[in-house]
Amino acid sequence: SGPWMCYPGQAFQVPALRGCRPVLNLQCNGSKVPEAVLRDCCQQLADISEWCRCGALYSMLDSMYKEHGVQEGQAGIGAFPRCRREVVKLTAASITAVCRLPIVVDASGDGAYVCKDVAAYPDA
């Protein structure tokens, strides 16, 4: 395993993380996330290599925006009508921490729990 396996064109296919979409929507809108919904999301993330979890989260976020036809720079519409983009990105970045799932933040193998690259992802 390693960061190379997370890039498009490799054997690894980025999962859709369908179980994490409701977590993001509920958290962003200030609603309580039911335990079963959170457990489903965390299980889907746990099945992904710790090298690839953040990439899977920002891929999920990007696809949610694209499904709603939202372009970069637009806020308050589409997938998250009550949430500013910065809040959406930070919420997505913290899902790994909420699930208590470690991630690898760089090629040195240093670990963390919050995805910095999701928070910095410009298109999300």
Side-chain angles (χ1 to χ4, degrees), residues 50-51 53-54 96 101-105 110-116:
E50 59 191 49
W51 287 95
R53 288 175 183 151
C54 292
T96 47
L101 292 170
I103 57 165
V104 177
V105 293
D110 286 343
Y113 283 92
V114 176
C115 298
K116 291 184 173 122

Side-chain angles (χ1 to χ4, degrees), residues 6-110:
C6 304
Y7 296 116
Q10 302 301 324
F12 177 79
Q13 294 295 317
V14 177
L17 292 177
R18 297 247 176 246
C20 293
R21 289 170 172 234
V23 171
L24 189 56
N25 276 317
L26 289 166
Q27 282 185 333
C28 198
N29 291 318
S31 301
K32 184 168 176 34
V33 178
E35 193 63 37
V37 173
L38 183 60
R39 191 171 39 249
D40 186 38
C41 172
C42 292
Q43 183 57 55
Q44 286 183 11
L45 270 175
D47 290 342
I48 298 171
S49 161
E50 59 191 49
W51 287 95
C52 305
R53 288 175 183 151
C54 292
L57 283 167
Y58 70 68
S59 177
M60 174 197 72
L61 189 55
D62 187 50
S63 70
M64 288 175 80
Y65 276 119
K66 285 179 180 172
E67 286 168 13
H68 288 273
V70 178
Q71 301 298 316
E72 184 177 353
Q74 293 177 316
I77 58 172
F80 310 99
R82 289 192 224 140
C83 229
R84 289 193 341 241
R85 276 195 185 236
E86 298 79 31
V87 175
V88 174
K89 289 191 285 187
L90 290 172
T91 301
S94 68
I95 290 176
T96 47
V98 170
C99 292
R100 295 188 176 110
L101 292 170
I103 57 165
V104 177
V105 293
D106 61 33
S108 71
D110 286 343

